[in-house]
Amino acid sequence: MAERAYVYIRDQIVTVGIPPGTPVDEEKLMRELGVGRTPVREALKRLSVERLVTVYPRRGTFASEIQLDDELWLTEVRVPLEGLAADRAARRASTEQRRTLERLSEEITREIAGGADMLRLVLFDAEIHRAVYRAAHNPYLESTLTTYLNLGMRIWFHRLNHLPDLSPHVLDQREVIAAILERDGDLARRTAEDHLQGCSHSIRTNA
């Protein structure tokens, strides 16, 4: 129950269903999840460690505020780690994981040609990142990058109506996947880093 509560509340915060800076209504979450207070409290403790919620003594728990500087700081940390994950995925991905990445690469073109909206592009980009993290076969790296990805996605959802066209950046993911499938770790690292830096620049330019 605690894991289910964690995933539900995390997704509510990441997609700004619970807007930044607003209180987290534990009673409402308990009703929506059909659970008691303990699973919700345990989930909020995890989310506090992940910087998605902020606990104020005697005031309660709030969805963490979002500042534009957060995106820059996250990118500084994510760029080398995303590059490392792509490099390791190129060297370690299983046959099944390579098939999954190949399928995702083919879907990129279809999604964009089909006129996928901004929300779908954000979610699809995140799906590709998670597939690369898993293919890196390093649980510590995967856990760390997943936390940062959630924080980064939250900024994207917060700015969804002000974001530029993300299609070119999502298309960049085909180059990352191609390098992984070719087992070229160095190229995978460079393309993954370039992809993230390009996304970051677009967000800050249009802030």
Side-chain angles (χ1 to χ4, degrees), residues 34 49 104:
V49 172
L104 290 170

Side-chain angles (χ1 to χ4, degrees), residues 80-92:
L81 293 179
E82 290 277 353
L84 176 62
D87 175 276
R88 293 300 180 267
R91 304 172 195 276
R92 298 173 177 170

Side-chain angles (χ1 to χ4, degrees), residues 50-93:
E50 295 174 6
R51 304 177 74 91
L52 286 170
V53 302
T54 304
V55 180
Y56 296 100
R58 296 181 296 279
R59 286 184 58 200
T61 302
F62 292 72
S64 298
E65 295 279 7
I66 293 177
Q67 306 296 334
L68 185 58
D69 283 345
D70 293 342
E71 197 283 328
L72 178 61
W73 294 333
L74 273 170
T75 300
E76 285 183 350
V77 176
R78 284 183 67 192
V79 165
L81 293 179
E82 290 277 353
L84 176 62
D87 175 276
R88 293 300 180 267
R91 304 172 195 276
R92 298 173 177 170

Side-chain angles (χ1 to χ4, degrees), residues 172-203:
D172 288 345
Q173 292 276 40
R174 293 184 304 181
E175 297 179 17
V176 179
I177 294 173
I180 291 172
L181 295 178
E182 292 168 7
R183 304 179 190 272
D184 189 334
D186 292 336
L187 180 59
R189 182 191 295 268
R190 290 196 302 274
T191 52
E193 291 176 351
D194 288 346
H195 163 72
L196 188 58
Q197 288 171 333
C199 291
S200 175
H201 177 74
S202 292
I203 291 173

Side-chain angles (χ1 to χ4, degrees), residues 86-158:
D87 175 276
R88 293 300 180 267
R91 304 172 195 276
R92 298 173 177 170
S94 67
T95 300
E96 184 59 33
Q97 287 167 334
R98 292 179 186 280
R99 289 197 192 101
T100 296
L101 289 167
E102 188 172 17
R103 172 181 57 78
L104 290 170
S105 181
E106 292 169 354
E107 288 179 9
I108 291 172
T109 304
R110 288 200 297 270
E111 288 283 345
I112 293 174
D117 61 20
M118 200 71 75
L119 173 61
R120 175 56 189 154
L121 288 177
V122 170
L123 293 172
F124 189 67
D125 184 77
E127 184 180 355
I128 295 169
H129 279 285
R130 292 192 182 102
V132 173
Y133 303 162
R134 288 191 294 272
H137 289 274
N138 182 324
Y140 296 100
L141 183 61
E142 180 180 358
S143 175
T144 299
L145 278 171
T146 298
T147 297
Y148 291 146
L149 176 64
N150 289 333
L151 291 167
M153 284 180 63
R154 185 167 179 252
I155 295 172
W156 283 38
F157 276 107
H158 183 56

